[in-house]
Coordinates of all heavy atoms in Angstrom, one line a residue:
G95 N 39.5 78.3 3.5 CA 38.1 78.2 3.9 C 37.0 78.7 3.0 O 35.8 78.8 3.4
I96 N 37.3 79.1 1.8 CA 36.3 79.5 0.9 C 35.6 78.2 0.4 O 36.3 77.2 0.0 CB 36.9 80.3 -0.3 CG1 37.5 81.6 0.3 CG2 35.9 80.6 -1.4 CD1 38.2 82.5 -0.7
T97 N 34.3 78.2 0.4 CA 33.6 77.0 0.1 C 33.4 76.8 -1.4 O 33.5 77.8 -2.2 CB 32.2 77.0 0.7 OG1 31.4 78.0 0.1 CG2 32.2 77.2 2.2
D98 N 33.1 75.6 -1.9 CA 32.8 75.4 -3.3 C 31.6 76.2 -3.7 O 31.6 76.7 -4.9 CB 32.6 73.9 -3.5 CG 33.9 73.1 -3.5 OD1 35.0 73.7 -3.6 OD2 33.8 71.8 -3.4
D99 N 30.6 76.3 -2.9 CA 29.4 77.2 -3.2 C 29.8 78.6 -3.5 O 29.3 79.3 -4.4 CB 28.3 77.1 -2.1 CG 27.6 75.8 -2.1 OD1 27.7 75.0 -3.1 OD2 26.9 75.5 -1.1
E100 N 30.7 79.1 -2.6 CA 31.2 80.5 -2.8 C 32.0 80.6 -4.1 O 31.9 81.6 -4.9 CB 32.1 81.0 -1.6 CG 31.2 81.2 -0.4 CD 32.1 81.5 0.8 OE1 33.1 80.7 1.1 OE2 31.8 82.4 1.6
I101 N 32.8 79.6 -4.4 CA 33.6 79.6 -5.6 C 32.7 79.6 -6.9 O 32.9 80.4 -7.8 CB 34.6 78.4 -5.7 CG1 35.7 78.5 -4.6 CG2 35.2 78.2 -7.1 CD1 36.5 77.3 -4.3
V102 N 31.7 78.9 -6.8 CA 30.7 78.9 -7.9 C 30.0 80.3 -8.0 O 29.8 80.8 -9.1 CB 29.7 77.8 -7.8 CG1 28.5 77.9 -8.8 CG2 30.3 76.4 -8.0
A103 N 29.7 80.8 -6.8 CA 29.0 82.1 -6.8 C 29.8 83.2 -7.4 O 29.3 84.2 -7.9 CB 28.6 82.5 -5.3
L104 N 31.1 83.1 -7.3 CA 32.0 84.1 -8.0 C 31.9 84.1 -9.5 O 32.3 85.1 -10.1 CB 33.5 83.8 -7.6 CG 33.8 84.1 -6.1 CD1 35.1 83.4 -5.7 CD2 33.9 85.6 -5.9
T105 N 31.3 83.1 -10.1 CA 31.1 83.1 -11.5 C 29.7 83.6 -11.9 O 29.3 83.5 -13.1 CB 31.2 81.7 -12.0 OG1 30.1 80.8 -11.6 CG2 32.6 81.0 -11.6
R106 N 29.0 84.2 -11.0 CA 27.6 84.7 -11.2 C 27.5 86.2 -11.0 O 28.5 86.8 -10.5 CB 26.6 83.9 -10.4 CG 26.6 82.4 -10.5 CD 25.5 81.8 -9.6 NE 25.6 80.4 -9.6 CZ 25.3 79.5 -10.5 NH1 24.9 79.9 -11.7 NH2 25.3 78.2 -10.3

Side-chain angles (χ1 to χ4, degrees):
I96 296 173
T97 68
D98 285 343
D99 287 343
E100 289 172 314
I101 291 167
V102 170
L104 288 164
T105 70
R106 302 184 189 286

